[in-house]
Amino acid sequence: VINSNMFNYNPNLQEIKLSNNLLTGAIPSLGFQYDQNGIRVFDVSFNSLSGSLPITIAIHNRLETFKVNNNILTGTLSSIFFNFAYLITFDISYNQFNNTAIDSTTKLLQTLDDVIGFNQNSGSFYSNLKTFKINNNYFQGPLPDQIRHMYNLIELNVGNNDFGSTIPSTWTSLTDLTSLDLSHNSIHGAVPPFLIANNNALTKIAINNNLFTGDIPTVFGTPHSGLINSLTYLDLSNNKFTGNMMVLGSSIGVLTKLTLLHIGHQDFTANSASFATDVSWLGAHFGGSLVDLDIADTGLYGIFPSAIALLASNLVKLDVSENNIGGAIPTEVGGWDSMTHLNFSSNAFTGLIPS
């Protein structure tokens, strides 16, 4: 338990770092003094703290780093927590926060936009913000349009919540992202191409486990050389994208720095070509940095050629399940010594299992 006395007035106190401990109980509110506004860093992440955030934290308006992630904190967020004009890092991920409060005037569910708001008196209020992580909580409703004001964001993570809107068109202001995670929500509609085109230094894109529609080549277009050289993690799996595997060669097929590529479980249709033709564009990835590949349930059928099996020998994880791939499993599979996860289930393979 954190003793409230340790936060008593100290005009020289600038950093409070209590992360990665076994602290329990609530974050104390009594020790925070209203004239103690010189604190720059407040980090109590990776503990077992519970209860709600005390409002008195928010009066430390010089905060640059605010991290309470990986605890079991609950309750709704007050808009006062978005009045940190100097904030660089805001991380409340892996808690149990929600926005289920009812607005006293409209009697409607309070959206996260209502909470974030925009402090018009502060000018470029969010101009310093680089990291905004609210993932793994219980937020619901539309994706916050107010994120458009966080135009210097590098890392945006709203994954593992219950957001259920389309991606706001106003997010065109986001142009410096290196990590984007919208995964495990109920976001629907097309992924606007500007989200990829405007952020050509992205190293991670995770939009999996949503309800996105449209076709993947439209989303990525002809990737910028910056994206080709930077993107290492791409997870588009478990959505409702249409098309087929063969047409991906000119878009995500040129992203040859990928270490993880997940595109499985879409509304793809089977192409008239063979399995080898459909995935021929993956040849540029095999033997390179790619170690984790998911192409399950993507309409693939035909024989799994030995030539591809030989090229894929550097993979650590491979999932080709729920397709219609047939014939014998290539004997080269028996030499995949680096493989830790292999899923060939729900196909039409015949014959012996390679030794």
Side-chain angles (χ1 to χ4, degrees):
V1 176
I2 302 175
N3 190 320
S4 62
N5 291 328
M6 70 185 302
F7 294 144
N8 279 337
Y9 179 72
N10 179 348
N12 299 314
L13 189 61
Q14 294 188 10
E15 296 185 357
I16 297 174
K17 294 182 178 180
L18 300 171
S19 62
N20 291 280
N21 281 290
L22 302 172
L23 297 170
T24 59
I27 299 174
S29 60
L30 297 177
F32 293 95
Q33 304 295 324
Y34 276 82
D35 57 348
Q36 186 184 14
N37 59 11
I39 295 177
R40 303 292 196 273
V41 176
F42 184 80
D43 184 355
V44 295
S45 59
F46 293 96
N47 282 288
S48 296
L49 297 168
S50 57
S52 59
L53 289 175
I55 296 296
T56 45
I57 295 177
I59 54 87
H60 300 284
N61 55 21
R62 302 290 298 187
L63 270 172
E64 297 172 2
T65 299
F66 183 68
K67 298 182 67 176
V68 297
N69 52 288
N70 295 82
N71 282 288
I72 46 177
L73 298 167
T74 58
T76 59
L77 291 180
S78 168
S79 60
I80 197 170
F81 288 106
F82 296 91
N83 287 338
F84 301 135
Y86 299 92
L87 199 62
I88 297 172
T89 299
F90 183 84
D91 190 349
I92 61 171
S93 60
Y94 293 95
N95 280 290
Q96 299 175 21
F97 293 118
N98 65 75
N99 59 311
T100 56
I102 303 298
D103 187 281
S104 59
T105 303
T106 64
K107 307 301 181 184
L108 299 174
L109 181 71
Q110 185 183 52
T111 69
L112 199 55
D113 259 340
D114 297 328
V115 177
I116 297 176
F118 182 58
N119 192 332
Q120 301 291 346
N121 298 322
S122 298
S124 54
F125 176 62
Y126 296 120
S127 61
N128 295 312
L129 197 58
K130 299 291 186 182
T131 299
F132 186 70
K133 298 177 69 175
I134 60 173
N135 53 288
N136 294 81
N137 280 289
Y138 297 121
F139 295 118
Q140 57 182 286
L143 286 169
D145 174 72
Q146 298 291 353
I147 287 176
R148 73 186 189 274
H149 296 298
M150 305 174 187
Y151 46 80
N152 284 321
L153 273 185
I154 292 176
E155 182 176 9
L156 173 61
N157 193 338
V158 300
N160 283 275
N161 282 289
D162 193 23
F163 292 116
S165 66
T166 58
I167 295 175
S169 61
T170 55
W171 283 13
T172 52
S173 58
L174 304 179
T175 58
D176 292 325
L177 291 175
T178 61
S179 180
L180 172 67
D181 193 334
L182 310 177
S183 63
H184 294 273
N185 281 287
S186 298
I187 308 168
H188 54 269
V191 178
F194 71 73
L195 194 60
I196 308 301
N198 289 1
N199 295 281
N200 52 46
L202 279 162
T203 62
K204 175 182 179 180
I205 299 173
I207 60 174
N208 51 290
N209 294 84
N210 279 290
L211 302 171
F212 288 120
T213 55
D215 63 273
I216 293 173
T218 299
V219 175
F220 283 85
T222 302
H224 187 277
S225 59
L227 189 69
I228 293 173
N229 290 319
S230 65
L231 192 63
T232 61
Y233 185 110
L234 178 60
D235 193 343
L236 310 175
S237 62
N238 293 285
N239 278 289
K240 294 183 176 296
F241 290 117
T242 54
N244 59 67
M245 283 289 292
M246 191 172 71
V247 301
L248 303 181
S250 62
S251 53
I252 63 175
V254 302
L255 302 172
T256 54
K257 303 294 185 182
L258 291 174
T259 59
L260 180 147
L261 175 59
H262 287 190
I263 50 179
H265 301 286
Q266 309 292 346
D267 283 347
F268 285 179
T269 55
N271 190 43
S272 58
S274 65
F275 172 84
T277 303
D278 277 352
V279 301
S280 61
W281 55 269
L282 282 169
H285 297 269
F286 295 146
S289 55
L290 187 66
V291 295
D292 188 342
L293 176 64
D294 173 8
I295 50 176
D297 189 21
T298 52
L300 296 172
Y301 78 101
I303 304 299
F304 197 125
S306 293
I308 292 180
L310 186 63
L311 288 172
S313 60
N314 65 307
L315 291 176
V316 175
K317 297 180 179 180
L318 174 62
D319 189 346
V320 297
S321 63
E322 298 181 57
N323 283 293
N324 194 26
I325 307 168
I329 298 175
T331 56
E332 288 79 5
V333 171
W336 287 354
D337 296 333
S338 300
M339 191 71 64
T340 62
H341 294 77
L342 177 64
N343 192 348
F344 276 17
S345 62
S346 300
N347 277 287
F349 288 112
T350 58
L352 302 176
I353 300 175
S355 59

